[in-house]
Amino acid sequence: MASAMACVLFLQGCAGWQSALDPKGPAASELAWLIWFFTGLCAAVWVLVMIALAAPLVLRSRQRTEPLVLDAGADDRKFRVVVAALGVTALILIGLTLLSFFANRTLAAIGSDAALTIRVTGHQWWWEVRYENAQPNRILTTANEIHIPAGEPVRLIVTSTDVIHSFWIPSLAGKLDLIPGHMNVLDIEANKPGIYRGQCAEFCGAQHANMGTFIVAEPRPKFDAWLNEQLQPAAAPTSGEAKAGGDLFVKRPCVMCHRIGGTRAGGTVAPDLTHIASRQTLAAGTLTMSRGNLAAWIADPQGIKPGAHMPVVSLNGDELNAIVAYLEGLR
C-alpha cells in the first residue's frame, strides 16, 4: 500500500503547472535532464548490485559444494570483481560530478543577457514584487504575481524581511533561498507564454503552505502593455458605493498597511493594492480573485489564513460591501 501511494504521488508530480519534471524553460530543462539521468543511472546500479548479490546464492544452491573447502581460484575472482566494482563506482562518481559542473555552468549563463530585473522579497506569508528601472517613475511594486516577457531571460534578486523563505517555480528553475539581509540571484526564462505556479519551499511558519506565487509569461508587447497599465495610479471609483468604499478605506486601519497609488493610502508593510483586482488570486494563492472571496478575506482573514498578519477590521455589512466595490474597480 505504501509503495502504491508513493507511486501515485510520484506520477502526480510529473506534469502540470507546478512540476519540476515538466520543464517550460531552459533552466528547468537542464535540471530535469539531470534528474532523469541520475535516476536512470542509480536505478541501473541498484539492479546490477541486486543481481550481484543474488547470483552467488543461486549458484551455490546449484553447486552444493562443501562450504569449508578452500577455493583459491574463486577467491581470486571475487577480488577482481570487487576491484572492478570500485573502479566503475569511481568512474561513475567522476562522470556525475562533471555533469553537475557543466549543468551549473549552463544555468549560470542563462541570465547573462537579462534586460529585466525584478526584486522579490519574501514576507510571512506573501511575496513583494518590485520591477527595477533606472527611471524612478518606471519602478513598479506589486505582490504575489510576477509578469515576465516569454522567451527572454529575467533576473530575480531575492531576499527576505523576516525569516528564511525559498523561491521555487518548478517548471522554470530550481529553488533559491531568500535570506534576511542578503541578496541572492536567480535567473529564469519561460520558453512560451503561460502561467506557472510557484511555492515557498522552505518551512517559514504556520501558513507556509499558503505562500504561493504565479509567474505569468506573456509575449513582449502584451507584457509592455501590462507594465504600463500597472504603472498608472488607481482608477477613480465610478459608482456611489465604490466612492464610499474608497473614502472608508483611507479612514480605516487599512491605510496603515496598504498602498494604493494615487490615493492617501501609503502603507508598505502589506501588499500594494493599486491594481489588486487584476490579479488572479488573493492572499498569495490562497483564494481565487472574486467579489465573494474579497469580502470573505476582508471579513475574516484569520479564519481563512490563521496567523496571517492582516487583522480583522470591524465593518458592518454596508461598509464591507462598499470597500469590496471599491477594490473590485482597482484593475
Side-chain angles (χ1 to χ4, degrees):
M1 178 61 76
S3 299
M5 291 183 65
C7 289
V8 170
L9 291 174
F10 176 78
L11 292 174
Q12 286 179 338
C14 291
W17 67 351
Q18 187 174 299
S19 171
L21 301 180
D22 187 17
K24 302 297 183 184
S29 296
E30 190 72 17
L31 293 173
W33 180 86
L34 276 181
I35 291 172
W36 286 119
F37 184 81
F38 274 54
T39 302
L41 183 60
C42 291
V45 170
W46 182 83
V47 170
L48 290 175
V49 169
M50 292 299 105
I51 292 174
L53 291 174
L57 299 176
V58 175
L59 293 175
R60 177 168 295 180
S61 64
R62 289 180 179 176
Q63 292 173 352
R64 297 180 182 282
T65 56
E66 175 55 48
L68 297 180
V69 175
L70 296 178
D71 184 347
D75 290 344
D76 185 56
R77 288 194 295 275
K78 292 175 184 176
F79 176 76
R80 291 179 181 177
V81 169
V82 171
V83 171
L86 288 174
V88 171
T89 302
L91 289 175
I92 290 174
L93 291 176
I94 292 172
L96 293 180
T97 302
L98 289 174
L99 280 176
S100 180
F101 168 76
F102 287 115
N104 277 309
R105 194 171 67 171
T106 301
L107 293 176
I110 289 175
S112 58
D113 298 325
L116 178 63
T117 298
I118 303 172
R119 179 173 299 192
V120 179
T121 304
H123 301 266
Q124 286 179 314
W125 291 274
W126 61 282
W127 307 90
E128 180 182 344
V129 183
R130 175 185 163 105
Y131 291 75
E132 302 289 4
N133 196 292
Q135 304 176 44
N137 64 340
R138 299 287 297 173
I139 294 175
L140 168 68
T141 300
T142 180
N144 298 325
E145 196 172 284
I146 304 172
H147 288 240
I148 62 172
E152 298 180 25
V154 176
R155 174 149 292 177
L156 302 181
I157 299 176
V158 299
T159 187
S160 170
T161 59
D162 37 47
V163 300
I164 296 176
H165 302 277
S166 188
F167 186 84
W168 191 26
I169 309 292
S171 297
L172 298 183
K175 66 177 183 177
L176 188 66
D177 284 348
L178 286 72
I179 303 171
H182 182 77
M183 303 287 183
N184 278 333
V185 175
L186 178 67
D187 296 317
I188 64 171
E189 181 178 339
N191 289 333
K192 58 183 182 181
I195 299 175
Y196 310 100
R197 191 184 190 282
Q199 175 66 41
C200 178
E202 181 82 23
F203 180 73
C204 56
Q207 288 299 323
H208 158 72
N210 285 323
M211 191 174 171
T213 185
F214 294 87
I215 297 284
V216 181
E218 303 166 309
R220 169 53 83 166
K222 191 173 181 181
F223 168 77
D224 288 340
W226 172 86
L227 186 61
N228 288 330
E229 289 175 1
Q230 295 286 313
L231 286 167
Q232 300 303 313
T238 54
S239 69
E241 186 181 42
K243 289 177 182 176
D247 293 338
L248 270 173
F249 190 93
V250 295
K251 292 177 181 176
R252 293 302 178 94
C254 320
V255 74
M256 303 300 292
C257 300
H258 296 285
R259 174 184 176 273
I260 295 180
T263 74
R264 290 188 286 118
T268 57
V269 299
D272 188 301
L273 303 183
T274 304
H275 298 282
I276 182 176
S278 68
R279 299 171 197 158
Q280 303 186 39
T281 66
L282 285 165
T286 306
L287 301 170
T288 55
M289 180 62 69
S290 70
R291 182 183 178 93
N293 284 338
L294 260 175
W297 174 244
I298 295 169
D300 187 15
Q302 297 303 313
I304 294 171
K305 204 167 178 176
H309 298 306
M310 178 166 168
V312 177
V313 178
S314 180
L315 299 169
N316 62 39
D318 290 340
E319 291 173 335
L320 177 62
N321 285 329
I323 288 182
V324 170
Y326 172 61
L327 295 178
E328 260 194 317
L330 302 181
R331 297 184 177 278

